[in-house]
């Protein structure tokens, strides 16, 4: 193809695109199968509260009107729920939008971004978009090594991303370690604590992050309605940050960044505490069950505090060409997310979906064993 004369900036030409989960409809069409389940993008298998659908029904009549700029009603509700001032909140088209905007606001070329290896891919994208260098520190036991990260901060480190719990490993750090880390970060370096999966953490892991964000002006919290609130398809996330940070974000964001239906849905979802508690509890029960089954069958399993599990089976990985576990599961209509070196991330679904995932995994392992025995 002929090269266009108005070439995109060089540093963007090598940017890796974000790989989204394979859609159910695509798998059904390509493989000619039905009843496919997606356990690949850490969505909520129960969907949002029924109150969301009722609220959306009414809001549909208004979709010819632009949404409220700045999501004022949602921010009011969040401010009340979290006990923070309105001026500390910014709502975005998913938290992704806000993570990228932060990098645009705070990073200059040659600044450095620091995070852990094996963390959320958007952090690298945020750094690269701003032409900043991207530094990672190896994990210990699939978990952020905060002490090593603190030692890796250099003068040009201007932004640090911490996913707690982390995607893809699902692990979380203890509040004490996080607080010690914050004390070691220079004030001129922004720490973005990404709490996309915070609702799934056990109490002992829950940090007092909102209180910390008042104590440390350089701490920004990122949260989302995509996971526990079941609204991934509508795109709503938010930041809690110092007013001087939110002020700039409000000036640079798209004036209508969060659409009308998304604002309405998030507001309704936020009000239904009982539904949130019930669905989170169900995911936690299933998370223990699936983790236990995977460990009992000899898989290596990272300790999850999220709504997904990161694991690796002891098999060398292949049943035959193209038949590693994610490929096999896909053919059985179960979409999971593959990672390098045989690691797999599976989202916790409804009980029957998890049963289907586990029974297919056991079948894959049995087929591998039979195949090895046959070739002995
Ligand atoms: C750690 C982490 N942060 C942020 C996000 C983005 O969430 P949102 O849907 O709000 O953009 C995700 C989504 O997968 C995530 O895993």
């Amino acid at each position: 193809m002929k090269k266009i004369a108005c070439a995109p900036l060089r540093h963007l030409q090598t940017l890796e695109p974000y790989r989204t989960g394979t859609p159910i409809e695509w798998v059904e069409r390509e493989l000619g199968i039905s009843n496919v389940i997606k356990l690949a993008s850490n969505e909520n298998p129960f969907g949002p509260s029924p109150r969301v659908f009722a609220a959306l029904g009414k809001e549909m009549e208004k979709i010819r009107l632009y949404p409220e700029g700045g999501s004022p009603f949602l921010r009011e509700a969040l401010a009340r729920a979290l006990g923070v001032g309105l001026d500390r909140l910014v709502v975005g088209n998913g938290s992704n939008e806000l993570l990228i905007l932060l990098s645009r606001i705070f990073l200059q070329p040659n600044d450095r971004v620091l995070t852990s290896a094996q963390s959320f891919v958007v952090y690298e994208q945020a750094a690269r978009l701003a032409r900043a260098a991207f530094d990672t520190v190896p994990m210990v036991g699939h978990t952020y090594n905060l002490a090593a990260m603190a030692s890796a901060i250099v003068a040009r480190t201007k932004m640090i991303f911490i996913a707690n719990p982390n995607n893809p490993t699902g692990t979380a750090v203890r509040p004490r370690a996080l607080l010690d880390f914050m004390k070691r970060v220079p004030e001129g370096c922004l720490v973005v604590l990404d709490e996309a999966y915070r609702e799934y953490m056990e109490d002992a892991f829950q940090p007092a992050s909102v209180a910390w964000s008042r104590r440390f002006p350089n701490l920004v919290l990122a949260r989302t309605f995509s996971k526990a609130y079941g609204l991934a398809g509508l795109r709503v996330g938010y930041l809690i940050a110092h007013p001087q940070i939110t002020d700039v974000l409000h000036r640079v964001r798209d004036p209508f960044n969060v659409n009308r239906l998304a604002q309405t849905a998030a507001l309704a979802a936020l009000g239904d505490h009982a539904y949130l508690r019930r669905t989170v509890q169900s995911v936690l029960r299933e998370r223990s069950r699936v983790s236990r089954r995977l460990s009992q069958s000899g898989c290596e399993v990272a300790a999850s505090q999220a709504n997904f599990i990161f694991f690796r089976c002891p098999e060398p990985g292949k049943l035959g060409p193209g038949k590693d576990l994610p490929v096999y599961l896909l053919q059985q209509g179960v979409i999971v997310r593959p990672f390098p070196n045989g690691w797999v991330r599976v989202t916790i679904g409804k009980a029957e979906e998890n049963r289907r995932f586990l029974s297919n995994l056991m079948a894959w392992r049995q087929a591998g064993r039979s195949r090895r025995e046959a070739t002995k």
Side-chain angles (χ1 to χ4, degrees):
M1 203 190 306
K2 190 166 174 273
K3 279 231 157 116
I4 54 169
C6 36
L9 298 173
R10 176 122 29 113
H11 71 286
L12 300 182
Q13 294 178 12
T14 51
L15 198 67
E16 285 288 322
Y18 181 99
R19 272 184 46 225
T20 52
T22 315
I24 290 175
E25 296 74 13
W26 187 90
V27 175
E28 293 188 339
R29 198 186 61 198
E30 292 302 305
L31 301 184
I33 54 178
S34 55
N35 211 4
V36 168
I37 52 172
K38 184 174 170 218
L39 302 176
S41 298
N42 306 337
E43 292 136 341
N44 182 340
F46 302 100
S49 150
R51 288 191 199 177
V52 167
F53 297 104
L56 284 176
K58 286 200 204 119
E59 197 64 25
M60 285 295 271
E61 292 163 21
K62 297 196 199 150
I63 58 169
R64 68 185 182 83
L65 302 171
Y66 278 103
E68 314 290 345
S71 313
F73 302 120
L74 178 55
R75 270 172 54 235
E76 262 173 26
L78 284 167
R80 264 197 309 276
L82 299 165
V84 300
L86 269 183
D87 58 353
R88 287 185 174 263
L89 291 164
V90 186
V91 183
N93 182 33
S95 56
N96 251 342
E97 180 200 19
L98 302 169
L99 299 179
I100 299 285
L101 269 187
L102 281 174
S103 74
R104 285 290 172 81
I105 293 169
F106 285 97
L107 297 173
Q108 301 194 55
N110 301 323
D111 282 344
R112 309 194 76 88
V113 170
L114 179 67
T115 187
S116 172
Q118 277 194 294
S119 195
F120 188 41
V121 287
V122 167
Y123 306 155
E124 180 165 5
Q125 196 187 24
R128 299 240 180 270
L129 280 172
R131 294 194 201 195
F134 184 68
D135 300 323
T136 58
V137 169
M139 294 200 141
V140 271
H142 306 293
T143 309
Y144 269 59
N145 185 347
L146 290 180
M149 279 178 64
S151 305
I153 298 171
V154 293
R156 291 215 69 92
T157 306
K158 289 290 151 57
M159 193 176 284
I160 298 174
F161 285 105
I162 299 177
N164 193 48
N166 181 46
N167 178 11
T169 59
T171 52
V173 289
R174 296 276 175 181
R176 182 78 244 171
L178 210 42
L179 188 57
D180 290 346
F181 177 80
M182 280 311 299
K183 290 180 188 161
R184 290 181 64 185
V185 178
E187 284 176 6
C189 173
L190 200 75
V191 178
V192 182
L193 182 61
D194 183 346
E195 301 190 301
Y197 302 96
R198 68 182 303 276
E199 291 83 1
Y200 299 106
M201 280 197 281
E202 291 161 20
D203 289 347
F205 282 87
Q206 293 279 352
S209 48
V210 173
W212 294 352
S213 73
R214 280 193 211 95
R215 175 170 165 193
F216 300 100
N218 59 332
L219 177 62
V220 174
L221 309 180
R223 296 185 176 179
T224 184
F225 284 90
S226 297
K227 310 297 178 184
Y229 289 96
L231 294 177
L234 284 179
R235 317 296 304 121
V236 199
Y238 63 98
L239 298 184
I240 306 167
H242 189 279
Q244 282 171 22
I245 298 176
T246 57
D247 175 52
V248 186
L249 282 159
H250 280 302
R251 281 185 272 147
V252 302
R253 66 172 169 74
D254 175 343
F256 302 111
N257 61 339
V258 186
N259 74 65
R260 183 169 279 288
L261 298 180
Q263 290 186 38
T264 299
L267 194 55
L270 191 65
D272 198 345
H273 305 285
Y275 182 83
L276 179 76
R277 211 173 312 118
R278 222 175 28 251
T279 50
V280 165
Q281 281 309 321
S282 167
V283 167
L284 298 192
R285 272 194 305 276
E286 283 295 296
R287 179 176 80 192
S288 307
R289 192 174 72 80
V290 176
S291 293
R292 208 169 39 245
R293 283 292 307 279
L294 288 171
S295 302
Q296 281 166 355
S297 72
C299 297
E300 223 177 313
V301 183
S304 177
Q305 288 292 320
N307 65 339
F308 54 88
I309 296 174
F310 191 63
F311 71 97
R312 178 163 70 173
C313 287
E315 270 86 350
K318 297 243 187 269
L319 274 179
K323 274 284 186 90
D324 59 3
L325 178 63
V327 174
Y328 176 84
L329 289 174
L330 190 70
Q331 288 166 345
Q332 312 307 314
V334 180
I335 315 173
V336 295
R337 186 68 79 100
F339 282 84
N341 304 320
W343 287 91
V344 175
R345 191 190 70 197
V346 62
T347 304
I348 301 299
K350 292 180 179 166
E352 64 271 20
E353 294 173 332
N354 304 326
R355 272 196 292 276
R356 192 166 145 198
F357 155 72
L358 283 169
S359 66
N360 279 298
L361 178 134
M362 300 306 165
W364 175 79
R365 295 203 55 198
Q366 186 53 47
R369 271 194 289 272
S370 310
R371 192 169 168 274
R372 271 196 302 283
E373 262 151 41
T375 52
K376 257 186 200 157

